[in-house]
Amino acid sequence: FPVTISIQAQKAIMPIITDMMGRYGEDIRLIEDPHTAIGKENQYCDMEQDMWQRVLALPQEKAAAVIRLALTQ
C-alpha cells in the first residue's frame, strides 16, 4: 500500500473526524473500536453512516484513498 495514498487518506479524513468530534465528543472513539459500542449500537451506526456519507462527498481521488486505507486496516 503506497505511503502517498496513506498520507492523502489521512489528510482527507482528519477534517471529517475533527468535525465529528465536535458533534459526538468522546464517543467518536467507538469508530476505532466497535467492540466498545455495547449499549451504544444506534449511536455507533449513526456515526459510521455520518462518516461514510462525508467520505463519499469528498472528491473522488480523496474518497478512494480513504476507502483503500479503511479496507487495509
Side-chain angles (χ1 to χ4, degrees), residues 40-57:
K40 295 184 176 185
E41 291 88 352
N42 288 339
Q43 187 172 5
Y44 169 76
C45 287
D46 290 345
M47 284 189 289
E48 282 286 334
Q49 287 179 332
D50 185 15
M51 183 185 70
W52 287 112
Q53 285 174 347
R54 293 173 189 230
V55 168
L56 294 174

mmCIF file of all heavy atoms in Angstrom, residues 40-57:
data_model
loop_
_atom_site.group_PDB
_atom_site.id
_atom_site.type_symbol
_atom_site.label_atom_id
_atom_site.label_comp_id
_atom_site.label_asym_id
_atom_site.label_seq_id
_atom_site.Cartn_x
_atom_site.Cartn_y
_atom_site.Cartn_z
ATOM 1 N N LYS A 40 -24.437 1.134 22.938
ATOM 2 C CA LYS A 40 -24.456 2.358 22.143
ATOM 3 C C LYS A 40 -24.493 2.021 20.649
ATOM 4 O O LYS A 40 -23.971 2.758 19.822
ATOM 5 C CB LYS A 40 -23.227 3.210 22.446
ATOM 6 C CG LYS A 40 -23.177 3.740 23.859
ATOM 7 C CD LYS A 40 -21.989 4.657 24.050
ATOM 8 C CE LYS A 40 -22.004 5.252 25.445
ATOM 9 N NZ LYS A 40 -20.928 6.239 25.610
ATOM 10 N N GLU A 41 -25.109 0.911 20.322
ATOM 11 C CA GLU A 41 -25.114 0.425 18.940
ATOM 12 C C GLU A 41 -25.739 1.430 17.978
ATOM 13 O O GLU A 41 -25.224 1.636 16.880
ATOM 14 C CB GLU A 41 -25.841 -0.919 18.836
ATOM 15 C CG GLU A 41 -25.115 -2.070 19.502
ATOM 16 C CD GLU A 41 -25.436 -2.242 20.980
ATOM 17 O OE1 GLU A 41 -26.128 -1.375 21.558
ATOM 18 O OE2 GLU A 41 -24.997 -3.251 21.564
ATOM 19 N N ASN A 42 -26.849 2.059 18.380
ATOM 20 C CA ASN A 42 -27.504 3.025 17.498
ATOM 21 C C ASN A 42 -26.602 4.219 17.231
ATOM 22 O O ASN A 42 -26.499 4.688 16.092
ATOM 23 C CB ASN A 42 -28.838 3.492 18.081
ATOM 24 C CG ASN A 42 -29.902 2.425 18.027
ATOM 25 O OD1 ASN A 42 -29.809 1.477 17.242
ATOM 26 N ND2 ASN A 42 -30.913 2.550 18.866
ATOM 27 N N GLN A 43 -25.954 4.712 18.264
ATOM 28 C CA GLN A 43 -25.054 5.850 18.088
ATOM 29 C C GLN A 43 -23.875 5.458 17.206
ATOM 30 O O GLN A 43 -23.459 6.223 16.347
ATOM 31 C CB GLN A 43 -24.564 6.366 19.438
ATOM 32 C CG GLN A 43 -23.755 7.640 19.305
ATOM 33 C CD GLN A 43 -23.421 8.275 20.621
ATOM 34 O OE1 GLN A 43 -23.705 7.728 21.668
ATOM 35 N NE2 GLN A 43 -22.816 9.432 20.568
ATOM 36 N N TYR A 44 -23.351 4.251 17.413
ATOM 37 C CA TYR A 44 -22.244 3.772 16.586
ATOM 38 C C TYR A 44 -22.658 3.734 15.109
ATOM 39 O O TYR A 44 -21.929 4.215 14.245
ATOM 40 C CB TYR A 44 -21.796 2.389 17.055
ATOM 41 C CG TYR A 44 -20.839 1.721 16.105
ATOM 42 C CD1 TYR A 44 -19.510 2.121 16.047
ATOM 43 C CD2 TYR A 44 -21.264 0.706 15.250
ATOM 44 C CE1 TYR A 44 -18.631 1.528 15.165
ATOM 45 C CE2 TYR A 44 -20.384 0.109 14.371
ATOM 46 C CZ TYR A 44 -19.076 0.520 14.322
ATOM 47 O OH TYR A 44 -18.208 -0.059 13.441
ATOM 48 N N CYS A 45 -23.828 3.196 14.836
ATOM 49 C CA CYS A 45 -24.311 3.121 13.452
ATOM 50 C C CYS A 45 -24.500 4.513 12.862
ATOM 51 O O CYS A 45 -24.148 4.754 11.702
ATOM 52 C CB CYS A 45 -25.613 2.333 13.371
ATOM 53 S SG CYS A 45 -25.382 0.561 13.599
ATOM 54 N N ASP A 46 -25.053 5.430 13.641
ATOM 55 C CA ASP A 46 -25.229 6.810 13.171
ATOM 56 C C ASP A 46 -23.886 7.440 12.822
ATOM 57 O O ASP A 46 -23.756 8.119 11.790
ATOM 58 C CB ASP A 46 -25.931 7.662 14.231
ATOM 59 C CG ASP A 46 -27.389 7.299 14.417
ATOM 60 O OD1 ASP A 46 -27.957 6.587 13.545
ATOM 61 O OD2 ASP A 46 -27.973 7.722 15.439
ATOM 62 N N MET A 47 -22.885 7.222 13.671
ATOM 63 C CA MET A 47 -21.560 7.790 13.412
ATOM 64 C C MET A 47 -20.932 7.187 12.158
ATOM 65 O O MET A 47 -20.339 7.906 11.347
ATOM 66 C CB MET A 47 -20.639 7.569 14.609
ATOM 67 C CG MET A 47 -20.926 8.484 15.761
ATOM 68 S SD MET A 47 -19.678 8.407 17.057
ATOM 69 C CE MET A 47 -20.008 6.795 17.752
ATOM 70 N N GLU A 48 -21.050 5.875 12.003
ATOM 71 C CA GLU A 48 -20.496 5.227 10.806
ATOM 72 C C GLU A 48 -21.158 5.767 9.540
ATOM 73 O O GLU A 48 -20.480 6.066 8.562
ATOM 74 C CB GLU A 48 -20.671 3.701 10.884
ATOM 75 C CG GLU A 48 -19.682 3.016 11.778
ATOM 76 C CD GLU A 48 -18.281 2.930 11.191
ATOM 77 O OE1 GLU A 48 -18.112 2.946 9.964
ATOM 78 O OE2 GLU A 48 -17.344 2.820 11.993
ATOM 79 N N GLN A 49 -22.465 5.875 9.560
ATOM 80 C CA GLN A 49 -23.177 6.401 8.393
ATOM 81 C C GLN A 49 -22.764 7.837 8.110
ATOM 82 O O GLN A 49 -22.533 8.204 6.953
ATOM 83 C CB GLN A 49 -24.687 6.323 8.597
ATOM 84 C CG GLN A 49 -25.217 4.926 8.498
ATOM 85 C CD GLN A 49 -26.723 4.872 8.726
ATOM 86 O OE1 GLN A 49 -27.300 5.697 9.429
ATOM 87 N NE2 GLN A 49 -27.354 3.885 8.126
ATOM 88 N N ASP A 50 -22.682 8.642 9.154
ATOM 89 C CA ASP A 50 -22.280 10.037 9.011
ATOM 90 C C ASP A 50 -20.887 10.117 8.397
ATOM 91 O O ASP A 50 -20.657 10.859 7.437
ATOM 92 C CB ASP A 50 -22.327 10.714 10.383
ATOM 93 C CG ASP A 50 -22.048 12.205 10.341
ATOM 94 O OD1 ASP A 50 -22.091 12.808 9.248
ATOM 95 O OD2 ASP A 50 -21.812 12.791 11.417
ATOM 96 N N MET A 51 -19.954 9.336 8.926
ATOM 97 C CA MET A 51 -18.582 9.375 8.429
ATOM 98 C C MET A 51 -18.510 8.971 6.956
ATOM 99 O O MET A 51 -17.892 9.662 6.148
ATOM 100 C CB MET A 51 -17.680 8.459 9.252
ATOM 101 C CG MET A 51 -16.223 8.514 8.808
ATOM 102 S SD MET A 51 -15.174 7.335 9.656
ATOM 103 C CE MET A 51 -15.762 5.791 8.959
ATOM 104 N N TRP A 52 -19.171 7.871 6.594
ATOM 105 C CA TRP A 52 -19.080 7.405 5.210
ATOM 106 C C TRP A 52 -19.804 8.334 4.246
ATOM 107 O O TRP A 52 -19.367 8.499 3.098
ATOM 108 C CB TRP A 52 -19.541 5.953 5.079
ATOM 109 C CG TRP A 52 -18.504 5.038 5.662
ATOM 110 C CD1 TRP A 52 -18.613 4.280 6.784
ATOM 111 C CD2 TRP A 52 -17.177 4.840 5.174
ATOM 112 N NE1 TRP A 52 -17.440 3.614 7.022
ATOM 113 C CE2 TRP A 52 -16.532 3.949 6.048
ATOM 114 C CE3 TRP A 52 -16.463 5.338 4.090
ATOM 115 C CZ2 TRP A 52 -15.213 3.533 5.873
ATOM 116 C CZ3 TRP A 52 -15.147 4.920 3.908
ATOM 117 C CH2 TRP A 52 -14.542 4.033 4.790
ATOM 118 N N GLN A 53 -20.874 8.977 4.675
ATOM 119 C CA GLN A 53 -21.520 9.970 3.816
ATOM 120 C C GLN A 53 -20.564 11.123 3.538
ATOM 121 O O GLN A 53 -20.476 11.616 2.413
ATOM 122 C CB GLN A 53 -22.804 10.499 4.452
ATOM 123 C CG GLN A 53 -23.942 9.515 4.391
ATOM 124 C CD GLN A 53 -25.172 9.985 5.151
ATOM 125 O OE1 GLN A 53 -25.136 10.928 5.918
ATOM 126 N NE2 GLN A 53 -26.281 9.291 4.920
ATOM 127 N N ARG A 54 -19.840 11.538 4.557
ATOM 128 C CA ARG A 54 -18.871 12.624 4.389
ATOM 129 C C ARG A 54 -17.709 12.197 3.501
ATOM 130 O O ARG A 54 -17.236 12.976 2.680
ATOM 131 C CB ARG A 54 -18.346 13.071 5.750
ATOM 132 C CG ARG A 54 -19.403 13.729 6.615
ATOM 133 C CD ARG A 54 -18.847 13.992 7.993
ATOM 134 N NE ARG A 54 -19.829 14.413 8.938
ATOM 135 C CZ ARG A 54 -19.690 15.479 9.726
ATOM 136 N NH1 ARG A 54 -18.598 16.209 9.659
ATOM 137 N NH2 ARG A 54 -20.632 15.796 10.580
ATOM 138 N N VAL A 55 -17.240 10.966 3.693
ATOM 139 C CA VAL A 55 -16.142 10.469 2.857
ATOM 140 C C VAL A 55 -16.581 10.423 1.400
ATOM 141 O O VAL A 55 -15.850 10.869 0.506
ATOM 142 C CB VAL A 55 -15.665 9.077 3.335
ATOM 143 C CG1 VAL A 55 -14.744 8.418 2.311
ATOM 144 C CG2 VAL A 55 -14.968 9.188 4.684
ATOM 145 N N LEU A 56 -17.769 9.910 1.147
ATOM 146 C CA LEU A 56 -18.246 9.798 -0.236
ATOM 147 C C LEU A 56 -18.526 11.153 -0.880
ATOM 148 O O LEU A 56 -18.582 11.248 -2.101
ATOM 149 C CB LEU A 56 -19.482 8.904 -0.292
ATOM 150 C CG LEU A 56 -19.213 7.441 0.072
ATOM 151 C CD1 LEU A 56 -20.525 6.666 0.128
ATOM 152 C CD2 LEU A 56 -18.233 6.801 -0.895
ATOM 153 N N ALA A 57 -18.660 12.192 -0.061
ATOM 154 C CA ALA A 57 -18.858 13.540 -0.587
ATOM 155 C C ALA A 57 -17.535 14.220 -0.965
ATOM 156 O O ALA A 57 -17.537 15.262 -1.612
ATOM 157 C CB ALA A 57 -19.602 14.402 0.437
#
